[in-house]
Amino acid sequence: RVWLKQDKYYQMVKDKFTGEVANTYFDTNRLVKLLDQHKQGKADNSRKIWTVYTFLVWYDQYFAETK
């Protein structure tokens, strides 16, 4: 929960949330809003963020085309 508020990790997750794969499966504006609310301490969205983030990492690992 706390690590998501650190700039380094916040940006890493935000990059995934605004990427091409995220845009295919999710409303990226809503994802960024969840992330921003969490970082600002307005809500504990850590479980939602973690769930989507792990899906995106998993997708990249197993389905993204290798270049």
Side-chain angles (χ1 to χ4, degrees):
R1 293 175 187 171
V2 175
W3 65 270
L4 286 169
K5 295 180 181 183
Q6 296 175 24
D7 289 335
K8 174 183 174 181
Y9 299 111
Y10 166 85
Q11 192 59 51
M12 183 175 67
V13 173
K14 187 174 181 180
D15 289 344
K16 285 282 187 202
F17 279 12
T18 57
E20 186 178 331
V21 175
N23 193 43
T24 301
Y25 295 102
F26 301 100
D27 176 352
T28 56
N29 291 326
R30 182 174 162 99
L31 292 179
V32 172
K33 184 177 179 181
L34 287 172
L35 186 60
D36 287 345
Q37 287 175 340
H38 183 81
K39 185 174 188 204
Q40 296 164 1
K42 293 180 180 178
D44 180 3
N45 295 324
S46 57
R47 184 173 299 262
K48 294 174 187 175
I49 293 167
W50 182 249
T51 301
V52 174
Y53 181 73
T54 55
F55 168 79
L56 293 170
V57 170
W58 173 83
Y59 186 93
D60 282 346
Q61 182 69 35
Y62 293 103
F63 292 101
E65 294 182 26
T66 56
K67 297 179 182 179

